[in-house]
Amino acid sequence: MDATHPLHPRPIRVAMLARAVFPLHGFGGIERHVYHLTKYLTKLGVEVTLYVQTPPANAERGDLRPHAIETLRYDYTTPLLPPNGVVGRQINFPVYSWRIGHLAAQCVLAGAFDVVHTQGLCAFGYAMARRRDPRLHSTPFVANPHGMEEFRTPDRAKWLAYAPFRLLYAYGHRQADRAIATDACTKDDLPRYLGVDPAKVVVIPSAIDVEECLSQVRSDLRAALRFRLGLTSGGPMLLSVGRLEPNKGFDVLIAALARLRNELPANWRWLLVGSGSAREALEQQVRAAGIADHTLFVGRLSDEELHSLYEEIDLFVHPTRYEGSSLVTLEAMIHRRPVVASAIGGIPDKVFPGRNGLLVQPGDVDDLTAQLRAALAARARWPEWGVEGERIVRSTFDWPVVARQTLALYHELLAGNHTSHPARSG
């Protein structure tokens, strides 16, 4: 499939509206999603124009090569409020979304684009422009809400503070011609949380760049990490990766490991990669649980260090309380590592019990203890589980595959199928 417009002999032209993109604005999941989607659509011949916030003066562009980049100011609160704090974000992001949506709308009316594709809350601004000018309805509008943290947080204070965000999210995505669910098992969340017509929901997974991940493994880094982290004991090496925040469930894993410490081999280790506000509390819990000698808080790692570390561990454990698609789970799988992870968000579309790992009820210490015990008892099958995990990623969650699915959606919409139709499963 190529990117030729079905009605005109030229490539499809897409306005991609986002707040941030890797590497200009950081290393987060959505930033990487926008980067890889742009990269692989461009490889398919799509002309992608990125609309993003103005990057820092010293930002690195890397190999980001869209057709064009349009930037707009994001921070309207500094120095009064942190720009991405709970309050600052609720001021800055809606204003930014409104302005960038109307900027893109002007270009659509000038005939510059064939498709508008928004990421996260950027749907709100373009939806408002579209409502005000019916001429914009002739150009397909695709929206991806991503993980919808504002709807899932267990923190009551955050949940209340994000009430305005939830209204804007819901409004923006209801106006789109298609709203993307990033996993089949979460497609019902868009009608449930956002009020999106189920017939407008299409499943296109979030993905990782398989070749990019594997190319970052370096033998010298593996050796350095083995020495630095003491990975020469021969016992099972468990790894978790994520922000050190309550929603990631690392406190639940500590409690489970404490129960298993007398059943585990003497030289077992648990490595926790990441940083965040809960680090001190987790360190205190580890000491109180009596597993401090087996636990290492690694802190943040570079991409090359992390992908090299995946090659040195035996089992990946992701005990999150809530989650979007969980790219770190895919990363562990492409390195052929078995996975024990919470059955939440998009994880059940990736981890299949007895095939490439085991699933756990989120926040349940008893279940996590039982599933870790079962995984350890099945250690002889870990290589087999690893091979199956790699197969799942390459067939479904690799960016070249997902970019082709996205392009197919553009073709479908441009062929005139703006009307609702049954949700697809992939």
Side-chain angles (χ1 to χ4, degrees):
M1 178 181 296
D2 63 33
T4 302
H5 191 292
L7 302 178
H8 305 286
R10 55 172 168 75
I12 294 175
R13 303 163 302 166
V14 175
M16 189 74 66
L17 279 58
R19 184 178 69 84
V21 61
F22 169 86
L24 293 180
H25 306 98
F27 300 83
I30 294 182
E31 288 90 338
R32 291 179 186 272
H33 178 100
V34 176
Y35 164 77
H36 284 111
L37 179 58
T38 298
K39 174 180 176 180
Y40 280 98
L41 286 175
T42 300
K43 286 187 173 185
L44 291 172
V46 178
E47 292 185 358
V48 179
T49 297
L50 274 176
Y51 286 80
V52 293
Q53 66 173 300
T54 304
N58 61 347
E60 295 184 7
R61 183 162 175 166
D63 64 349
L64 182 63
R65 295 290 185 271
H67 180 69
I69 299 180
E70 300 289 340
T71 62
L72 191 69
R73 176 184 175 188
Y74 168 78
D75 183 3
Y76 297 91
T77 59
T78 298
L80 300 177
L81 291 168
N84 282 308
V86 172
V87 176
R89 187 166 175 252
Q90 291 189 76
I91 296 171
N92 289 320
F93 209 158
V95 173
Y96 169 82
S97 175
W98 173 279
R99 293 188 65 203
I100 211 161
H102 283 70
L103 180 62
Q106 292 172 9
C107 294
V108 170
L109 292 173
F113 299 116
D114 305 305
V115 176
V116 174
H117 191 152
T118 65
Q119 308 291 336
L121 193 62
C122 289
F124 160 70
Y126 186 73
M128 289 296 294
R130 204 176 194 232
R131 180 175 182 178
R132 294 177 64 182
D133 194 330
R135 293 175 296 171
L136 295 170
H137 285 263
S138 63
T139 299
F141 172 23
V142 178
N144 187 338
H146 291 279
M148 299 188 291
E149 177 183 352
E150 294 79 6
F151 294 83
R152 304 176 191 274
T153 177
D155 186 321
R156 185 65 179 172
K158 270 191 174 182
W159 193 87
L160 291 171
Y162 280 138
F165 252 36
R166 291 195 294 275
L167 292 174
L168 300 183
Y169 252 101
Y171 173 80
H173 289 84
R174 285 199 302 269
Q175 310 311 312
D177 297 308
R178 295 291 182 271
I180 293 176
T182 51
D183 293 281
C185 62
T186 63
K187 68 180 181 181
D188 292 339
D189 288 352
L190 274 67
R192 174 187 175 190
Y193 292 123
L194 303 177
V196 174
D197 180 348
K200 292 184 177 182
V201 177
V202 58
V203 179
I204 301 180
S206 285
I208 61 171
D209 188 329
V210 167
E211 296 311 317
E212 180 182 281
C213 289
L214 298 179
S215 70
Q216 295 188 82
V217 176
R218 287 174 35 193
S219 58
D220 60 327
L221 271 180
R222 290 182 63 178
L225 287 164
R226 284 196 297 270
F227 177 78
R228 170 183 156 195
L229 304 178
L231 306 183
T232 57
S233 63
M237 300 292 167
L238 282 58
L239 173 67
S240 298
V241 179
R243 297 187 311 277
L244 305 191
E245 304 293 345
N247 66 287
K248 291 301 181 181
F250 296 128
D251 58 317
V252 182
L253 179 52
I254 292 169
L257 291 173
R259 294 184 183 183
L260 292 169
R261 66 180 182 272
N262 293 327
E263 303 175 37
L264 288 160
N267 294 323
W268 71 275
R269 301 287 299 279
W270 174 47
L271 310 177
L272 179 53
V273 174
S275 60
S277 64
R279 175 163 179 163
E280 183 177 350
L282 293 172
E283 288 177 332
Q284 291 176 354
Q285 185 185 358
V286 162
R287 290 192 292 270
I291 60 172
D293 290 343
H294 297 277
T295 302
L296 183 59
F297 288 81
V298 179
R300 296 185 65 175
L301 294 178
S302 69
D303 288 349
E304 287 185 334
E305 289 173 323
L306 178 57
H307 285 287
S308 296
L309 181 59
Y310 280 122
E311 295 290 327
E312 296 297 322
I313 61 96
D314 301 302
L315 178 68
F316 184 76
V317 187
H318 195 49
T320 183
R321 286 185 167 89
Y322 73 91
E323 193 77 3
S325 284
S326 188
L327 298 183
V328 292
T329 298
L330 294 176
E331 289 177 352
M333 288 165 59
I334 200 57
H335 289 280
R336 295 191 174 192
R337 293 309 178 253
V339 175
V340 174
S342 298
I344 197 73
I347 294 175
D349 277 354
K350 303 170 179 66
V351 179
F352 299 90
R355 285 176 52 191
N356 66 318
L358 296 170
L359 290 173
V360 179
Q361 290 303 306
D364 189 328
V365 176
D366 292 338
D367 193 33
L368 181 53
T369 303
Q371 298 304 325
L372 285 173
R373 183 180 289 119
L376 292 165
R379 193 172 179 184
R381 297 189 61 196
W382 287 3
E384 172 191 332
W385 288 3
V387 170
E388 176 63 5
E390 180 190 27
R391 187 199 65 78
I392 291 168
V393 176
R394 287 188 181 275
S395 64
T396 308
F397 300 102
D398 192 7
W399 264 114
V401 175
V402 171
R404 287 193 294 272
Q405 292 178 355
T406 305
L407 180 56
L409 175 61
Y410 295 164
H411 276 298
E412 173 189 304
L413 293 170
L414 288 167
N417 189 11
H418 280 54
T419 58
S420 299
H421 63 86
R424 298 187 298 172
S425 61

